[in-house]
């Protein structure tokens, strides 16, 4: 009877979500979006969403091309890692690019934060049985999964340009090279890259762009740049 309606956000404070098809493809054929960017931020849900997306792609039976990847994945948070795992399982040639380190936005969470509260089955690796798992343990598990499955994940690669050369052929440029791929999967989340001031010293180790462990700043003299929610926190 429409008594209850599920929405992302509210009428006044909604979340802008890209328009995607049932198979997670955008209006550009061959470009897909999964995870937090597509409105699915919880770790287990993002993981399962990427699995479903790769399942749709595998059913296409689109032929591989010499010197061209079947899939290039941008981002190695929960959705990106899941896509990498399932591409390997489906024998799809793939590479994953991550501008920071493995874990995506989880890296910025405070120490010992509980990040997952449900079991997760990882093809080729087994089941993560713990009902609760903290940030550090999950990141260690992910590193173990990557090593055991031999996933091709390149960290420190910031994507700078994407060009469609022809139907089902994209050239993706990063700060460390370029790649040709038939499909592109964006699992970049919503946190994005921090906005910097363009001043000397902004990359020094005592300059932070997120609040990770508040106790580090106790009784310290600090300067906060900005006046929004994060600055107040």
């Amino acid at each position: 009877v429409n008594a209850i309606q599920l929405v992302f956000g509210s009428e006044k404070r909604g979340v802008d979500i890209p328009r995607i098809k049932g198979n997670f493809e955008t209006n550009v054929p061959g470009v897909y979006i999964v995870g937090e960017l597509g409105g699915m931020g919880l770790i287990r849900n993002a993981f399962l969403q990427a699995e479903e997306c790769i399942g749709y792609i595998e059913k296409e039976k689109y032929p591989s091309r010499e010197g061209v990847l079947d899939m290039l994945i941008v981002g190695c948070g929960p959705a990106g890692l899941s896509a990498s795992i399932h591409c390997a399982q489906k024998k799809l040639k793939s590479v994953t690019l991550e501008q920071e380190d493995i874990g995506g936005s989880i890296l910025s969470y405070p120490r010992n934060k509980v990040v997952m509260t449900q079991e997760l089955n990882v093809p080729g690796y087994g089941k993560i049985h713990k009902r609760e798992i903290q940030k550090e343990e999950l990141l260690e598990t992910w590193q173990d999964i990557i090593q055991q499955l031999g996933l091709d994940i390149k960290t420190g690669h910031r994507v700078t340009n994407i060009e469609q050369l022809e139907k089902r052929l994209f050239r993706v440029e990063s700060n460390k090279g370029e790649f040709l791929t038939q499909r592109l999967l964006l699992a970049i989340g919503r946190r994005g890259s921090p906005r910097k001031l363009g001043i000397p010293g902004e990359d020094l180790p005592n300059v932070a762009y997120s609040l990770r462990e508040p106790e580090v700043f106790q009784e310290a003299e600090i300067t906060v740049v900005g006046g929004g929610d994060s600055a107040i926190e």
Side-chain angles (χ1 to χ4, degrees):
V1 296
N2 294 323
I4 298 174
Q5 185 177 8
L6 176 64
V7 299
F8 289 101
S10 65
E11 282 188 45
K12 295 182 179 179
R13 290 193 63 186
V15 176
D16 291 328
I17 297 172
R19 294 177 183 271
I20 54 177
K21 302 173 186 175
N23 64 348
F24 307 99
E25 192 173 30
T26 67
N27 62 313
V28 179
V31 178
Y32 302 80
I33 290 176
V34 294
E36 189 180 17
L37 181 62
M40 196 60 69
L42 295 176
I43 290 174
R44 187 172 184 275
N45 289 346
F47 199 94
L48 295 175
Q49 189 184 58
E51 177 184 1
E52 190 177 351
C53 176
I54 301 303
Y56 282 121
I57 290 168
E58 194 264 341
K59 290 176 183 176
E60 293 175 359
K61 304 297 181 186
Y62 204 78
S64 294
R65 296 172 61 173
E66 187 69 30
V68 179
L69 296 168
D70 294 320
M71 172 70 80
L72 186 126
I73 301 159
V74 184
C76 194
L81 177 64
S82 174
S84 306
I85 292 167
H86 289 92
C87 277
Q89 185 198 32
K90 304 292 185 183
K91 308 298 183 186
L92 297 172
K93 292 185 297 181
S94 73
V95 168
T96 300
L97 306 181
E98 167 57 54
Q99 69 173 353
E100 295 179 347
D101 206 347
I102 292 159
S105 60
I106 293 174
L107 290 169
S108 65
Y109 290 175
R111 269 198 317 267
N112 300 322
K113 177 180 172 66
V114 173
V115 293
M116 196 167 71
T117 58
Q118 290 178 293
E119 294 182 346
L120 196 61
N121 188 41
V122 180
Y125 181 80
K127 185 172 285 188
I128 300 175
H129 290 285
K130 288 201 168 185
R131 289 289 300 167
E132 287 191 0
I133 189 166
Q134 294 177 331
K135 165 190 169 181
E136 291 78 8
E137 190 177 359
L138 183 62
L139 291 175
E140 285 180 12
T141 302
W142 282 358
Q143 292 282 2
D144 191 39
I145 290 169
I146 290 165
Q147 289 179 3
Q148 284 202 30
L149 300 184
L151 304 179
D152 191 353
I153 296 176
K154 303 182 187 299
T155 58
H157 276 256
R158 175 179 169 81
V159 172
T160 55
N161 189 54
I162 298 169
E163 181 182 2
Q164 185 171 16
L165 302 178
E166 58 186 71
K167 185 179 180 181
R168 295 285 183 178
L169 182 62
F170 300 89
R171 179 166 58 212
V172 180
E173 298 174 14
S174 83
N175 57 326
K176 294 185 178 180
E178 68 174 43
F179 306 83
L180 293 176
T181 183
Q182 295 192 70
R183 305 177 189 84
L184 182 66
L185 188 145
L186 302 178
I188 56 178
R190 299 182 66 90
R191 188 171 59 93
S193 302
R195 181 181 175 190
K196 298 184 178 181
L197 298 174
I199 59 175
E202 63 184 9
D203 291 314
L204 291 174
N206 59 325
V207 179
Y209 293 92
S210 62
L211 182 61
R212 299 194 179 183
E213 284 84 34
E215 62 270 18
V216 173
F217 301 100
Q218 261 187 325
E219 300 182 10
E221 293 186 5
I222 64 170
T223 298
V224 178
V225 180
D229 295 349
S230 298
I232 292 168
E233 182 188 356

